[in-house]
Amino acid sequence: MIKSMTGYGKANLEKNEREYQVEIKSVNHRYLDISVKMPRVLSYLEEMVKKEIATKVKRGKIDVFITFQNNSTEGKEIKINTEIAKIYIDELKKLAEQEKISANIEVTEISKLPDVLNIQNKQEDETIKEELLETVSQATENLVQMRLIEGKKMAEDLLVRIKSVQEKVKEISSLSTGLIEEYVVKLEGRIKEILKNQEVDSARLAQEVVIYADKCSVEEEVTRLKSHMLQFEKLLNSEEAIGKKLDFIIQEMNRETNTIGSKANNLEITNDVIDVKTELENIREQIQNIE
């Protein structure tokens, strides 16, 4: 099943007074480009987040937004800056001596002074790492599901359009088979008109027909077009990322259609070629958003 490159996925996790929220938005892009916005305390996990998303998403511009609230002791440690505390104590003692006041200094009071007591987050905490990974994985899965739903709708539309192209190619093939017969009749009539009562040189006539047939034959182009369309349909049921392959096939189909248009000296075929090119352009626009 094909996937759209447009999608949105969100996941929340609350565990032991820790709250995680992960939002993922994706739009079409030639390659996989992942941008992550997350709290600084989790920044060391950014590559892990990207790798997890990359296991399930192969193409697209991916924007990831992560929020984290930690009200537990997990992943935290208390740091006392003893050097700063000593400076505070020395200065307070000096002040007490100068002002001749009591110098009863309580530890709890010192701890409240700026930069003495700090609560820091541990740089490497396995519990937080695992919980974040779980949340990212769920958000990515939700994104993929949305992309699959959108992809299914696109596949249905593309099948209808490629069937339309197939019908037009059948018409072109049918019309092209009668071109040579028409040319023979017209050429013979034209030669008789010019030569009046003289006998028509059948060998020369046959030579002209062969030259014309070689110039206007679109059999090879039609055969290649049919092959490309079968491959296109087959890819729509593929499990892999197929956007680039489909884009290449459409380019090849456009090339064959242009060649048919330049060869065919027939108004009906020309009109069919225009219809095919119009439908191929619609398909090309659609597949720009396929992973």
Side-chain angles (χ1 to χ4, degrees):
M1 180 63 68
I2 68 172
K3 299 186 189 80
S4 167
M5 279 193 282
T6 302
Y8 174 80
K10 181 179 179 181
N12 295 287
L13 178 65
E14 292 185 24
K15 190 174 288 188
N16 298 327
E17 298 186 79
R18 292 181 298 279
E19 298 178 13
Y20 306 82
Q21 179 174 284
V22 177
E23 290 183 87
I24 307 177
K25 299 177 182 178
S26 70
V27 293
N28 61 319
H29 195 272
R30 289 187 66 187
Y31 309 105
L32 179 61
D33 181 13
I34 303 174
S35 174
V36 182
K37 292 184 179 179
M38 61 197 307
R40 288 182 60 187
V41 67
L42 297 178
S43 59
Y44 70 97
L45 296 173
E46 182 174 341
E47 284 306 310
M48 179 204 74
V49 170
K50 289 182 177 181
K51 286 179 181 178
E52 174 61 24
I53 294 171
T55 61
K56 299 175 182 176
V57 177
K58 303 306 176 186
R59 283 182 71 203
K61 175 70 176 70
I62 314 295
D63 290 310
V64 185
F65 305 92
I66 298 174
T67 59
F68 174 57
Q69 184 68 40
N70 189 3
N71 297 317
S72 74
T73 58
E74 189 76 41
K76 293 182 179 180
E77 57 185 355
I78 295 175
K79 292 286 186 180
I80 298 176
N81 193 327
T82 54
E83 295 301 319
I84 291 291
K86 287 178 182 178
I87 293 172
Y88 277 127
I89 292 170
D90 290 342
E91 292 300 317
L92 288 171
K93 284 181 177 179
K94 288 178 184 179
L95 179 63
E97 288 175 4
Q98 289 173 3
E99 300 298 328
K100 296 180 180 181
I101 58 177
S102 175
N104 294 327
I105 303 172
E106 298 289 338
V107 174
T108 53
E109 295 300 319
I110 295 297
S111 67
K112 295 176 183 178
L113 295 171
D115 300 323
V116 174
L117 188 64
N118 294 301
I119 300 176
Q120 297 181 352
N121 291 281
K122 295 176 184 177
Q123 285 301 300
E124 301 287 343
D125 185 88
E126 282 302 314
T127 302
I128 290 175
K129 179 180 177 180
E130 290 171 6
E131 290 173 352
L132 178 62
L133 182 62
E134 178 185 343
T135 316
V136 171
S137 178
Q138 185 58 56
T140 306
E141 186 60 36
N142 293 339
L143 169 73
V144 169
Q145 289 304 312
M146 184 172 182
R147 284 159 64 113
L148 278 169
I149 292 170
E150 184 68 23
K152 183 180 179 182
K153 294 177 183 177
M154 293 173 67
E156 291 170 354
D157 179 72
L158 290 173
L159 278 173
V160 171
R161 293 183 184 279
I162 207 69
K163 292 294 183 186
S164 173
V165 172
Q166 287 173 337
E167 290 302 315
K168 290 296 179 182
V169 171
K170 283 181 182 178
E171 286 183 23
I172 291 171
S173 180
S174 177
L175 289 167
S176 67
T177 56
L179 288 179
I180 298 174
E181 288 78 2
E182 289 179 15
Y183 178 73
V184 171
V185 173
K186 288 180 181 178
L187 182 62
E188 191 172 10
R190 181 64 176 158
I191 291 173
K192 285 181 178 178
E193 184 182 335
I194 294 172
L195 297 178
K196 302 298 183 184
N197 297 323
Q198 297 181 41
E199 187 178 346
V200 177
D201 186 343
S202 58
R204 182 59 187 274
L205 180 64
Q207 184 180 6
E208 288 295 325
V209 170
V210 169
I211 294 172
Y212 177 79
D214 185 58
K215 285 183 178 180
C216 74
S217 175
V218 295
E219 184 178 345
E220 288 184 15
E221 288 79 9
V222 167
T223 299
R224 284 193 290 268
L225 266 176
K226 290 178 179 178
S227 174
H228 292 326
M229 285 185 285
L230 287 173
Q231 191 177 3
F232 188 96
E233 287 185 280
K234 185 178 178 181
L235 280 173
L236 289 180
N237 295 314
S238 175
E239 294 296 327
E240 61 185 58
I242 58 168
K244 290 181 180 179
K245 290 182 180 180
L246 290 178
D247 191 44
F248 176 76
I249 290 173
I250 290 300
Q251 289 181 40
E252 292 301 304
M253 290 176 68
N254 261 314
R255 187 176 291 113
E256 301 298 344
T257 304
N258 286 333
T259 303
I260 291 173
S262 63
K263 281 186 172 184
N265 187 22
N266 178 279
L267 181 60
E268 289 181 90
I269 291 179
T270 299
N271 288 335
D272 282 339
V273 165
I274 292 172
D275 290 339
V276 169
K277 286 177 65 65
T278 301
E279 200 63 270
L280 289 178
E281 179 58 25
N282 291 331
I283 292 172
R284 191 193 69 81
E285 289 178 2
Q286 280 273 49
I287 64 177
Q288 298 309 306
N289 199 38
I290 292 177
E291 184 180 67

